[in-house]
Amino acid sequence: MLKHIRTVAAVALLTVTTYAVGVELNGSHPDTYVVKKGDTLWDISARFLKKPWLWPEIWQANPQVKNPHLIYPGDVLSLAYLDRVTAQPGPRQEAPINAVPLADVEPFLKNLNVVDSFKELPYVVGLEDNRLRATTGQQAYVLGLQDAQSGQRYMVVRPTVQYGQPKPSSDLNLRGDTTAGMGNLWKEFIPTSDRDEFLGYELAKVNVGTLTQVGADATQASILRLEDSGREVRAGDRLVPVQANPYDLQFIPHAPATQPAPGHLRVLAVTDTFTSGGPRDVIAISGGARDGIDNGTVFSIWRSGSHVNDRVTGMPTSRKDDALKAGGNRVSLPDEYAAHAMVFRTFDKVSYALIMEGTKPAKVGYELKHPDAQ
């Protein structure tokens, strides 16, 4: 589930768009700032703005910079005017910076996908020498490729989790099924939701291989020679044709096009952890293109207010003091802000977002709201 893999990032040009709404300046901003390697435009904007996701609104063209759409390490930025950031160009010896650290998100752009179904895909039924796992240079035996041709290349993918509401995610076994009763794990800390819906299956890239022999019929396995040493293949892994999948490397942060309905969008999963994450961690959220979410959409993440006993004026009780539901003479506490996150990969019903900054961990089940929510 959302395995976090650190790789060297590819860097693309960043196109800056200007919006005509007001911004608030951060009173503690410096007069000048020298851009450093490893910076992001979000981090730099936090030095100038109270809302760093609004940096496109003041990042204006500067005639001193040959290409004002690119900011490089060594550039000197200054707040020259109320609605304009000016830049003195520095040496052009490093790659330009992006809105997000691409090294943190590139694996999720290239190696993960969310689909509605996968059980119809060809699958690995066995491995060379009856191995339990196989890697580069070894053979995987596959069913369901009798209509393919030798020489075709396939990506080996593994169904990892099923996303849904109200339970956010369930791990999948070798057969691609969920474990019965696994949803009970979430009942103690996931607030109730009016959504009861399947959202998709996550497929993670495992390996790549070339088809060297095609089975004569549906009962004979085809042979796939593995070429990638990244992860080991096992029985039950699925195959999809290798295709060029374009994805964005340019992200312009912006507020969601529509106000999320209360309780509609929640954190489904967090990179490398069971329940919580912080800045530079990737999360899966329960909304996508059908909800008007696109790449660059910024949300704030909130802990839903709990419901506690009033121990001063209420009756003595043994009820849980941090309940997920109202009622029972409990007092409802306000929601608590945790972090901001920006979407960088969008599917139909699920999206991946990067936590940009926050004041406390963002956890599975936390609600996503407009970035200006109070």
Side-chain angles (χ1 to χ4, degrees):
M1 179 198 310
L2 282 172
K3 295 301 182 184
H4 200 101
I5 310 165
R6 302 290 182 178
T7 61
V8 177
V11 179
L13 303 184
L14 180 66
T15 301
V16 176
T17 304
T18 302
Y19 298 87
V21 297
V23 296
E24 294 182 77
L25 298 178
N26 189 336
S28 61
H29 69 79
D31 293 332
T32 61
Y33 177 73
V34 180
V35 180
K36 299 179 178 61
K37 183 178 181 180
D39 278 339
T40 68
L41 288 175
W42 182 293
D43 296 333
I44 294 173
S45 299
R47 296 174 175 265
F48 295 97
L49 304 175
K50 292 182 179 179
K51 301 174 182 179
W53 60 92
L54 296 180
W55 63 260
E57 299 177 21
I58 66 168
W59 212 270
Q60 302 293 325
N62 188 323
Q64 294 176 299
V65 181
K66 184 176 181 180
N67 186 342
H69 294 169
L70 300 178
I71 303 298
Y72 290 80
D75 287 354
V76 180
L77 307 181
S78 63
L79 195 62
Y81 304 101
L82 183 63
D83 61 350
R84 182 176 180 185
V85 170
T86 62
Q88 179 66 38
R92 293 296 188 262
Q93 299 173 350
E94 309 261 6
I97 65 171
N98 207 322
V100 299
L102 288 174
D104 289 350
V105 303
E106 189 185 21
F108 302 90
L109 297 172
K110 298 172 62 175
N111 299 335
L112 292 178
N113 200 5
V114 177
V115 299
D116 290 332
S117 63
F118 65 87
K119 291 194 174 182
E120 73 281 2
L121 296 175
Y123 61 93
V124 177
V125 70
L127 301 168
E128 183 178 347
D129 296 328
N130 286 334
R131 298 171 183 266
L132 295 178
R133 299 287 190 273
T135 186
T136 180
Q138 297 170 345
Q139 296 181 149
Y141 305 124
V142 182
L143 286 182
L145 288 176
Q146 61 271 14
D147 295 328
Q149 296 181 347
S150 294
Q152 286 184 275
R153 299 184 72 243
Y154 286 86
M155 181 184 298
V156 184
V157 297
R158 181 170 300 161
T160 54
V161 297
Q162 173 182 299
Y163 290 127
Q165 293 278 46
K167 58 182 180 181
S169 65
S170 299
D171 291 341
L172 301 176
N173 60 23
L174 181 145
R175 297 171 61 89
D177 299 325
T178 60
T179 302
M182 188 173 180
N184 295 328
L185 295 171
W186 304 107
K187 289 183 177 179
E188 292 301 317
F189 63 94
I190 299 298
T192 57
S193 172
D194 58 357
R195 300 182 70 185
D196 184 4
E197 182 182 16
F198 163 78
L199 297 176
Y201 298 105
E202 183 183 80
L203 301 182
K205 174 187 173 183
V206 177
N207 213 299
V208 175
T210 299
L211 195 61
T212 61
Q213 182 177 315
V214 180
D217 54 47
T219 65
Q220 293 188 3
S222 301
I223 299 176
L224 184 78
R225 187 168 186 83
L226 302 176
E227 303 170 356
D228 196 331
S229 58
R231 299 180 63 186
E232 293 180 322
V233 174
R234 71 180 187 190
D237 288 342
R238 264 58 179 187
L239 272 70
V240 295
V242 171
Q243 297 176 340
N245 295 316
Y247 46 81
D248 288 347
L249 287 177
Q250 306 170 8
F251 305 102
I252 306 300
H254 57 273
T258 59
Q259 180 76 19
H264 185 74
L265 299 179
R266 294 194 181 275
V267 178
L268 296 173
V270 183
T271 301
D272 277 350
T273 67
F274 183 52
T275 63
S276 60
R280 301 300 187 260
D281 280 333
V282 173
I283 58 175
I285 65 174
S286 60
R290 68 168 185 174
D291 303 294
I293 298 172
D294 59 357
N295 292 342
T297 301
V298 177
F299 292 102
S300 56
I301 304 173
W302 293 74
R303 179 184 188 272
S304 297
S306 55
H307 310 279
V308 301
N309 300 320
D310 184 348
R311 298 185 182 277
V312 176
T313 62
M315 295 179 61
T317 176
S318 60
R319 288 181 180 272
K320 185 177 180 181
D321 194 41
D322 189 13
L324 298 174
K325 298 181 180 179
N329 296 318
R330 289 187 289 265
V331 177
S332 298
L333 302 184
D335 294 351
E336 299 174 357
Y337 166 77
H340 278 98
M342 189 183 77
V343 173
F344 64 86
R345 184 85 188 275
T346 306
F347 305 97
D348 186 37
K349 304 174 187 176
V350 175
S351 298
Y352 296 143
L354 184 70
I355 300 175
M356 304 303 297
E357 43 80 22
T359 60
K360 61 182 63 179
K363 296 186 178 182
V364 173
Y366 278 17
E367 184 177 351
L368 280 80
K369 302 182 181 182
H370 192 281
D372 293 335
Q374 299 291 329

